[in-house]
Amino acid sequence: MMSGSSRRRIGRGVAIVGAGMSNFGMFPDRDSKDLFAEAFSEMLASVDKGFDPADIQAAWIGNFSNDFFVHQAHWGPIIADLTGIVPRAVTRTEGACASSTLAMRDGLMAIASGMYDIVLAGGVEEMSKCTTEEVTEGLALATSPYEGEAGYTFPGVFGALATAYFHKYGAGREHLMNITIKSHENAPLNPKGQFKQTIRDLMEARKARAAKKGEPVPDWADEKEALFDPRFNPPVAWPMHLFDCCPISDGASCILMVAEELAKSFTDNPIYIVGFGQGSGRGLHACPSLTSFEANKQAAAEAYGMSGLTPKDVQFAEVHDCFSIAELIHIEDLGFFPEGEGYKAIAEGETRREGRMPINTSGGLKCKGHPVGATGTAQMYEVWKQLRGEAGERQIPGRDLYIGATQNLGGTGGTCTFTIFERR
Amino acid sequence: MEERPFSDISYRKFLEEEKFMGSRCRKCGQIYVPPRRFCLECRSEDMEWHEMKGEGELAAFTCISIGPSFMIEEGYDRKNPYCTGVVTLVEGPRMVARIEGVDARNPESIKIGTPMKVEFLHRGEGDKARTFLAFRPA
């Protein structure tokens, strides 16, 4: 039987020749159109040899739940109008937090098939105009129905996975804190991110505020001591605390994809999509493992098979750290570290920018922000920047980068994607 | 067992009657909870209702401080978190369910592997009446 892992091929090569991203954060004065326009303008400016947007033949736009969050659905034609693509085809894709990776996938298939040569893929989400309770409820629409009625929230599902991981492998909250601390170390280096402070910066700010108010000043010895303090880091869905969770965000991102043979007419430095995989998964009640996402395994097998590459070939990755435990599970599922060993590698600094396998140099969803529909192509934006050596202060130091990857999760593992990018 | 479609609606109706029901493949014996109409193992559609023992052990859990609106309406909040978990049933399958009878304010006291027994929570009145699957330490 065909398992579908190693025999899939991209029929015609596809390259990214432009990428843009809005600032991510909470923007009461900007709506989805404003945010997408910001990303689109940067994408146009990033095409080295120039580009006429009238040449876009079709677009796919990821959006999870603006129908719920801002009571507006059918974002394809709205973005088409905004960007001047009208009257050509623009389609909305929905895969929960992986919505814009699915936009890229549709664009990839369209170019690979020969149907189109020049395609826009992107995504947008506008979440901050809702209350925290409304956002929690909106996101919970992507859990399985059984999880919903058992009272699970998004952080709750990941909290449960964390307890299973802790029990199986002997890890604890302190190991997840290494992920949070690392993401916050990268955060100040990303000018577009939602949070730009390290945990130590936040600790010192808290101490200064207490001193100014004449309140008792916390005497935390280090970041972990602060993160163990429930006043600094209250529980959300134990063992997920505030600093284990990505924020509520607004934002947009997009990439310009073209057929390989056209790539050099747009830039001397295109980034090729050489492997893509996507998997689906069941809820917590039916998944084969509580410490792994079956959808990740499928996505990874497909993408490695398609590209002919192995986990060892991938030099860095953006992975979907909606919650700290998710980053840990992903880096094991994708084969970057053996199962049950990831938390030790993280503790040894291997996933830091200077480490052997930098993960989430952007600050990750935790610090960069997670406007869910925009996240997939925003991860690709980071890989585009890193592979082209344009990541500024957060550029991975001392290495010639040519293979990067993005992993994007939708729902509670219901959709996972893995994409491998190459600079030639 | 009476004729009811192997569906989520039937499953929930059984819960209201305080019955925890799955479906069992007559061909290969595989048990599914919630029930499935098709056996994913042998692809048979020859299923029968199977009453679960309602016993198992805690496989994963979380204590939620910020819940969805229906849990907030039940009085749960940051000061009064609730526990929900994953239980591995003695028949093999797992199920997600509310976990009662544990101290959700003190999650360190809750242990994976704890033996569990089923319970049925009836909440709300009239049109809003719902029955939820729950487990508590045996």
Side-chain angles (χ1 to χ4, degrees):
Chain A
M1 196 169 86
M2 289 267 292
S3 70
S5 60
S6 61
R7 309 188 73 162
R8 301 284 181 258
R9 290 285 181 270
I10 297 173
R12 177 166 70 145
V14 177
I16 300 174
V17 296
M21 173 181 155
S22 73
N23 286 320
F24 278 12
M26 298 174 85
F27 304 118
D29 299 330
R30 272 184 276 177
D31 69 9
S32 294
K33 297 203 296 291
D34 301 326
L35 295 163
F36 200 90
E38 201 178 315
F40 188 74
S41 294
E42 189 193 357
M43 181 281 288
L44 288 181
S46 76
V47 182
D48 297 326
K49 297 182 184 176
F51 172 69
D52 181 353
D55 292 337
I56 295 173
Q57 296 162 330
W60 279 266
I61 304 299
N63 176 255
F64 168 51
S65 205
N66 267 4
D67 11 16
F68 184 89
F69 294 138
V70 292
H71 303 288
Q72 176 64 61
H74 205 187
W75 279 89
I78 298 170
I79 298 299
D81 180 26
L82 174 81
T83 51
I85 297 169
V86 165
R88 289 176 291 281
V90 181
T91 307
R92 169 185 169 180
T93 55
E94 192 272 301
C97 314
S99 292
S100 58
T101 295
L102 302 194
M104 181 283 291
R105 173 185 185 259
D106 282 0
L108 175 74
M109 293 192 298
I111 295 174
S113 74
M115 185 166 174
Y116 297 118
D117 300 316
I118 302 172
V119 155
L120 178 76
V124 65
E125 207 82 43
E126 187 183 344
M127 304 165 73
S128 75
K129 290 164 189 80
C130 296
T131 63
T132 300
E133 287 74 17
E134 285 167 343
V135 172
T136 302
E137 203 154 323
L139 293 174
L141 296 174
T143 60
S144 94
Y146 310 115
E147 287 153 8
E149 64 195 29
Y152 274 100
T153 56
F154 244 80
V157 170
F158 287 87
L161 294 172
T163 61
Y165 188 98
F166 291 175
H167 180 75
K168 187 170 178 185
Y169 297 121
R173 278 189 63 204
E174 66 274 22
H175 296 106
L176 299 184
M177 289 173 187
N178 292 326
I179 296 169
T180 299
I181 293 166
K182 180 266 299 173
S183 295
H184 274 272
E185 280 173 0
N186 292 335
L189 310 178
N190 187 348
K192 288 178 181 283
Q194 186 160 356
F195 297 130
K196 298 186 177 69
Q197 290 175 297
T198 64
I199 297 292
R200 198 159 276 277
D201 292 338
L202 294 164
M203 285 163 57
E204 296 308 324
R206 182 68 72 95
K207 285 182 185 173
R209 207 156 57 232
K212 198 175 168 189
K213 285 186 180 169
E215 291 168 357
V217 177
D219 57 352
W220 304 308
D222 58 21
E223 288 99 327
K224 286 189 184 171
E225 204 167 309
L227 291 170
F228 271 119
D229 184 339
R231 291 164 300 177
F232 184 80
N233 188 18
V236 174
W238 197 90
M240 294 296 99
H241 287 57
L242 184 63
F243 281 91
D244 292 293
C245 307
C246 63
I248 292 164
S249 317
D250 308 321
S253 61
C254 61
I255 57 172
L256 184 65
M257 306 164 72
V258 304
E260 184 170 359
E261 62 267 25
L262 301 181
K264 288 285 171 72
S265 63
F266 296 101
T267 174
D268 292 332
N269 202 6
I271 302 301
Y272 298 90
I273 300 169
V274 294
F276 177 80
Q278 180 180 337
S280 58
R282 296 165 272 193
L284 282 178
H285 69 290
C287 58
S289 166
L290 293 171
T291 56
S292 170
F293 295 108
E294 57 190 323
N296 266 344
K297 296 280 182 75
Q298 176 68 24
E302 286 182 7
Y304 288 131
M306 185 182 287
S307 63
L309 298 169
T310 72
K312 283 194 171 63
D313 297 314
V314 180
Q315 295 172 294
F316 68 101
E318 290 284 304
V319 306
H320 194 94
D321 59 319
C322 47
F323 301 93
S324 53
I325 182 66
E327 176 165 329
L328 173 53
I329 292 175
H330 299 326
I331 63 174
E332 295 182 0
D333 282 346
L334 300 171
F336 301 151
F337 300 98
E339 287 185 14
E341 301 285 325
Y343 74 93
K344 297 173 195 163
I346 292 165
E348 286 161 12
E350 291 198 30
T351 59
R352 297 178 65 209
R353 270 189 325 117
E354 303 78 9
R356 178 176 70 79
M357 181 65 194
I359 299 291
N360 291 339
T361 52
S362 66
L365 280 48
K366 169 69 188 78
C367 296
K368 183 181 65 182
H370 181 30
V372 292
T375 287
T377 39
Q379 291 178 314
M380 295 170 202
Y381 173 87
E382 179 69 9
V383 170
W384 154 270
K385 287 278 184 191
Q386 288 284 353
L387 285 177
R388 286 165 51 103
E390 295 171 352
E393 279 189 277
R394 66 183 188 284
Q395 185 69 40
I396 293 167
R399 257 172 287 183
D400 187 20
L401 298 177
Y402 51 94
I403 302 282
T406 63
Q407 181 273 347
N408 196 190
L409 171 146
T412 51
T415 298
C416 289
T417 64
F418 186 53
T419 315
I420 306 175
F421 304 87
E422 181 183 24
R423 177 176 64 84
R424 291 177 187 153
Chain B
M1 187 60 63
E2 63 196 286
E3 292 290 315
R4 292 194 201 186
F6 299 100
S7 68
D8 282 359
I9 291 172
S10 301
Y11 167 74
R12 290 196 182 91
K13 280 192 177 146
F14 275 126
L15 285 184
E16 284 169 24
E17 297 160 21
E18 303 211 340
K19 284 189 178 134
F20 181 30
M21 302 297 293
S23 63
R24 183 178 173 279
C25 174
R26 284 200 178 101
K27 279 218 169 120
C28 76
Q30 190 71 28
I31 293 171
Y32 298 97
V33 59
R36 286 184 189 268
R37 235 184 102 170
F38 315 108
C39 178
L40 300 188
E41 291 295 317
C42 72
R43 294 285 165 186
S44 164
E45 294 187 30
D46 188 9
M47 307 296 274
E48 62 185 359
W49 283 105
H50 181 84
E51 181 154 11
M52 310 300 289
K53 286 199 179 75
E55 296 166 9
E57 64 177 47
L58 191 63
F61 69 96
T62 180
C63 297
I64 297 183
S65 302
I66 305 169
S69 52
F70 76 95
M71 294 303 292
I72 295 169
E73 280 165 24
E74 282 190 31
Y76 294 103
D77 58 21
R78 286 166 207 258
K79 288 186 177 140
N80 182 31
Y82 60 94
C83 182
T84 183
V86 184
V87 173
T88 305
L89 304 165
V90 289
E91 293 91 346
R94 281 197 294 259
M95 193 53 204
V96 286
R98 309 254 295 260
I99 306 297
E100 298 286 298
V102 295
D103 185 1
R105 287 190 188 85
N106 183 17
E108 284 91 343
S109 67
I110 304 171
K111 300 291 177 211
I112 286 177
T114 302
M116 293 275 145
K117 65 175 184 208
V118 75
E119 188 165 292
F120 302 91
L121 298 179
H122 305 284
R123 295 281 187 271
E125 288 174 358
D127 291 347
K128 290 196 166 177
R130 293 283 307 272
T131 303
F132 298 99
L133 181 71
F135 283 83
R136 70 165 57 236

